[in-house]
Amino acid sequence: KDKNILNVLNHPVLYYPCCAAKKSELIQDFFCSSDDDNILNESEKLGFIPIKRPEELAKPTSQHLDCILHALETMNNNYNVCPDILVVVLANNVTIKSEWIDICIKKMIDDMSITAVVPVYEDNDHHPLRAKTINNDGTLEMYEKNSSGKVSTNRQDLPSCLFLSHNFWVLRVDYLKSGKEGQQPWGFMGDKIVPYEIDESIDIHKDVDLLIAKNWIENNYND
């Protein structure tokens, strides 16, 4: 509960991604979409214009794309802001640097056929070729079937397995609005997704994540 505004080193969690975005050399306008007044108030202190998210978009089942499109519509109608590139910053992830944001934006500026640029991290410990599922008789079977039939027990031998970091996404707005479906489950990112590899990513969901986030900030944050 309230993970985006929990205290980490005397600042709410969202302070760190907000500050990284504000220090970007390429982002021109700043908005915060939320149904929570506390989150909106904290982001407004950091220079973000609040967008009150309607109740139907503030449920556990609400989809990212619907919230993004609502924010874009509000930005356009209320503030005459119509970006070609949208940077979506996730407020519960502190592992974010302004230089990463700018590198990813520049990748899209250099090639506007790209539909998304996203940070990723390698995690072969949780490789799909190691995953299991339960079959009809209650025993385990391979979740992913490997054509060779053999999978090494050493993670180093497996092909690189990358996961989205969910600290920020750089998205092409015309694709977002097109209604097309790209790679699942985040179909709004399209099919031409460029990765930017980082060492680690920490989404704050549990108490232990706050401790890991604190350690990352102490080692990486210069403000």
Side-chain angles (χ1 to χ4, degrees), residues 65-83:
L65 179 59
D66 296 329
C67 299
I68 292 169
L69 292 176
H70 172 263
L72 283 168
E73 183 179 14
T74 304
M75 290 158 58
N76 186 3
N77 293 343
N78 296 3
Y79 302 97
N80 198 32
V81 173
C82 309

Side-chain angles (χ1 to χ4, degrees), residues 59-106:
K59 299 176 181 178
T61 55
S62 298
Q63 298 297 303
H64 285 106
L65 179 59
D66 296 329
C67 299
I68 292 169
L69 292 176
H70 172 263
L72 283 168
E73 183 179 14
T74 304
M75 290 158 58
N76 186 3
N77 293 343
N78 296 3
Y79 302 97
N80 198 32
V81 173
C82 309
D84 295 316
I85 296 172
L86 183 71
V87 181
V88 177
V89 178
L90 288 304
N92 68 317
N93 190 315
V94 304
T95 48
I96 178 171
K97 297 182 180 182
S98 55
E99 56 262 40
W100 295 352
I101 296 173
D102 286 341
I103 288 169
C104 291
I105 295 173
K106 287 174 182 175

Side-chain angles (χ1 to χ4, degrees), residues 50-196:
I51 296 176
K52 189 62 179 272
R53 197 180 295 173
E55 185 177 346
E56 62 268 22
L57 296 180
K59 299 176 181 178
T61 55
S62 298
Q63 298 297 303
H64 285 106
L65 179 59
D66 296 329
C67 299
I68 292 169
L69 292 176
H70 172 263
L72 283 168
E73 183 179 14
T74 304
M75 290 158 58
N76 186 3
N77 293 343
N78 296 3
Y79 302 97
N80 198 32
V81 173
C82 309
D84 295 316
I85 296 172
L86 183 71
V87 181
V88 177
V89 178
L90 288 304
N92 68 317
N93 190 315
V94 304
T95 48
I96 178 171
K97 297 182 180 182
S98 55
E99 56 262 40
W100 295 352
I101 296 173
D102 286 341
I103 288 169
C104 291
I105 295 173
K106 287 174 182 175
K107 287 179 181 291
M108 183 168 287
I109 290 173
D110 290 343
D111 182 0
M112 287 300 291
S113 70
I114 292 170
T115 52
V117 186
V118 293
V120 297
Y121 62 95
E122 185 177 51
D123 184 0
N124 275 21
D125 278 333
H126 299 96
H127 202 288
L129 292 179
R130 287 178 150 198
K132 305 287 187 180
T133 189
I134 299 175
N135 64 24
N136 293 333
D137 67 4
T139 60
L140 293 176
E141 65 178 3
M142 297 297 295
Y143 189 87
E144 288 284 340
K145 304 301 186 293
N146 186 29
S147 58
S148 71
K150 296 286 289 183
V151 178
S152 173
T153 57
N154 296 329
R155 59 183 172 83
Q156 296 89 344
D157 296 332
L158 300 175
S160 180
C161 178
L162 302 174
F163 290 90
L164 266 64
S165 299
H166 298 305
N167 46 5
F168 69 93
W169 310 322
V170 176
L171 307 173
R172 206 181 79 207
V173 172
D174 65 341
Y175 188 89
L176 280 172
K177 293 180 175 181
S178 71
K180 297 177 182 177
E181 278 288 331
Q183 287 183 31
Q184 296 300 306
W186 299 280
F188 57 83
M189 292 185 182
D191 284 316
K192 192 170 182 180
I193 306 170
V194 173
Y196 177 69

Side-chain angles (χ1 to χ4, degrees), residues 202 204-214:
I202 306 155
I204 294 174
H205 296 298
K206 299 177 291 186
D207 288 342
V208 67
D209 298 330
L210 289 169
L211 298 175
I212 301 170
K214 176 178 177 290

